[in-house]
Amino acid sequence: MFSVPRLWAIVVKEFIQMRRDRVTFGMMIGVPLIQLVLFGYAINADPKRLPTAVLMADYGPQGRTVLHAIRNSGYFEFTRELTTEQEGRDVLARGDVQFVVNIPQGFTRELLRGERPAILIEADATDPAATSNAIGSLRTVLTRALQHDFKGPLAFLAGREDPIDLRVHAQYNPEAITQYNIVPGLMGVVITMTMVMITGLAITRERERGTMENLLSMPTRPFEVMVGKIIPYIFVGYVQLGLILLAARVLFDVPMHGNLGLLLLVAFLFITANLAMGITFSTLAENQLQAVQLSFFFFLPSLLLSGFMFPFRGMPQWAQAVGELLPLTHFLRVVRGILLKGNGLHEIALQLWQIALFAVVALAVGIKRYRQTLD
């Protein structure tokens, strides 16, 4: 016969187990909260206030009017003033700015003569989603910008539809091909997902089977055991990297302008950082299920806040600050910079040391907890 007391006893038992399994309980509460906060506050498909550099060779009143109009559109935030065109190319290559606005010498004089002067807008189009709306707004902004100035003696210019020749150079991805942005980013996403999870599972599997203590009882140090278990997965990471590079070239025809040897060097740091994170999770997890759950906690923010799925500069400042802590954010900038921009060591140096710092900190924490747990 069906018994309500027995049923209630099973229900109470499940609640007790749920309370004791803190990782699973955290997944049930934490994942919905993370998704709610990230999708509700951090994700923005229409980024505004994008960093913009200005190369101003004409300080006439109409030139200043154009700059004010561009800034008031909300899409552009002037962060620096340049002196040469080469400096503009350098800041775009490093990713310091999203746009460079170039107002040439004699702009005001040519405009007042009715000669339709040109304005050059150079954009870092490695992520088409970050620049498309801003570029699309420029034509309307420039057409309306000078209407207040075209009065009195300049009223004869008010009837012209396009008083300014707007020239937009979408650098690095002029055709706005989405695969050029997504496929290189998949290198970082795949490595992050697999390396963290595989390392966590490998060590917790040893603990569940009771073989880790046997390894530590042998004449080897815990650090040697740990490094020995990591090295094979470094090769696995390089196999994944090679497959994605091959597919990027053969299937998607992604341009590869930079040094692939430099990319492989950076990949070593990135793979090590993720393996170190997996080791840390393995010291926190009691079983393989918890290792997977902890890996998912790390992978979800990395996927959403790194700039892979949504424009990084479209997120609020607090979300960008969190994203800057994640190694995937910097690896995406490096791999896109090397493949699409042809960046060298000088341009990616800032991203390199940030990945290396994360790897050192994660590895130090993992080693310390590993020794304390299994010694």
Side-chain angles (χ1 to χ4, degrees):
M1 298 291 292
F2 177 79
S3 173
V4 174
R6 290 197 297 266
L7 173 64
W8 180 248
I10 296 298
V11 171
V12 172
K13 168 185 171 296
E14 290 300 317
F15 274 111
I16 293 174
Q17 288 184 332
M18 186 186 304
R19 184 188 62 185
R20 291 175 177 175
D21 189 354
R22 297 181 180 179
V23 176
T24 302
F25 185 76
M27 282 284 295
M28 293 186 294
I29 303 299
V31 170
L33 288 178
I34 291 175
Q35 291 178 324
L36 180 64
V37 171
L38 294 184
F39 282 98
Y41 292 102
I43 304 306
N44 178 18
D46 185 20
K48 301 290 185 68
R49 302 180 64 84
L50 298 170
T52 305
V54 178
L55 181 58
M56 192 78 170
D58 187 301
Y59 289 90
Q62 277 68 41
R64 294 195 299 270
T65 298
V66 168
L67 283 184
H68 285 299
I70 292 175
R71 182 181 59 191
N72 292 337
S73 69
Y75 285 101
F76 305 87
E77 181 179 2
F78 298 141
T79 57
R80 64 174 66 190
E81 186 171 349
L82 309 176
T83 56
T84 63
E85 294 184 0
Q86 181 59 46
E87 187 179 358
R89 288 189 288 268
D90 291 341
V91 294
L92 279 177
R94 292 195 302 268
D96 295 340
V97 297
Q98 198 78 38
F99 299 95
V100 173
V101 179
N102 188 341
I103 297 183
Q105 188 173 5
F107 170 82
T108 300
R109 181 178 65 252
E110 294 179 10
L111 181 66
L112 298 181
R113 289 177 179 177
E115 298 179 3
R116 199 166 178 265
I119 286 183
L120 175 62
I121 308 292
E122 295 179 282
D124 179 357
T126 51
D127 185 359
T131 58
S132 57
N133 289 341
I135 293 175
S137 70
L138 281 172
R139 182 72 63 185
T140 303
V141 167
L142 295 180
T143 300
R144 297 177 179 177
L146 298 171
Q147 296 303 315
H148 295 288
D149 290 2
F150 292 162
K151 297 179 180 179
L154 302 179
F156 72 96
L157 297 172
R160 305 185 60 181
E161 294 184 0
D162 295 318
I164 298 175
D165 180 15
L166 175 63
R167 300 178 183 178
V168 178
H169 289 178
Q171 303 285 359
Y172 316 121
N173 188 7
E175 298 178 359
I177 299 176
T178 306
Q179 287 86 345
Y180 289 3
N181 178 67
I182 296 296
V183 175
L186 281 174
M187 299 180 196
V189 172
V190 171
I191 289 174
T192 298
M193 179 177 61
T194 56
M195 293 297 101
V196 175
M197 187 177 300
I198 286 175
T199 311
L201 289 176
I203 296 180
T204 53
R205 186 185 304 117
E206 295 278 4
R207 187 181 297 114
E208 285 184 356
R209 295 174 178 176
T211 57
M212 182 61 75
E213 287 77 6
N214 294 335
L215 289 175
L216 293 177
S217 65
M218 298 173 64
T220 57
R221 295 184 180 275
F223 177 76
E224 296 169 350
V225 175
M226 184 185 64
V227 173
K229 294 184 71 65
I230 284 179
I231 289 178
Y233 298 113
I234 294 179
F235 288 100
V236 172
Y238 273 111
V239 170
Q240 293 177 336
L241 184 67
L243 290 175
I244 296 175
L245 280 173
L246 181 62
R249 188 59 181 169
V250 175
L251 300 180
F252 302 102
D253 198 26
V254 175
M256 299 182 182
H257 299 300
N259 187 342
L260 293 183
L262 180 61
L263 177 60
L264 296 178
L265 176 63
V266 178
F268 176 80
L269 290 176
F270 182 66
I271 292 171
T272 303
N274 285 284
L275 291 176
M277 202 69 212
I279 291 173
T280 302
F281 288 155
S282 71
T283 64
L284 299 173
E286 297 179 358
N287 50 59
Q288 296 183 61
L289 176 60
Q290 289 187 359
V292 173
Q293 292 171 339
L294 289 172
S295 300
F296 186 76
F297 264 120
F298 178 72
F299 178 68
L300 180 61
S302 297
L303 185 66
L304 297 178
L305 298 181
S306 62
F308 173 73
M309 295 185 62
F310 306 97
F312 183 82
R313 290 188 170 116
M315 298 185 296
Q317 292 297 322
W318 66 266
Q320 292 187 31
V322 175
E324 291 288 349
L325 299 176
L326 303 171
L328 180 58
T329 302
H330 305 286
F331 185 73
L332 292 182
R333 295 171 185 171
V334 168
V335 68
R336 289 168 178 167
I338 292 176
L339 295 184
L340 302 182
K341 301 180 181 181
N343 285 349
L345 184 60
H346 175 71
E347 287 82 7
I348 67 172
L350 177 62
Q351 314 301 330
L352 278 183
W353 78 260
Q354 290 173 311
I355 296 175
L357 178 62
F358 182 93
V360 170
V361 173
L363 191 59
V365 173
I367 291 174
K368 183 177 180 180
R369 289 193 56 86
Y370 180 88
R371 293 174 63 92
Q372 290 178 344
T373 303
L374 298 179
D375 267 359

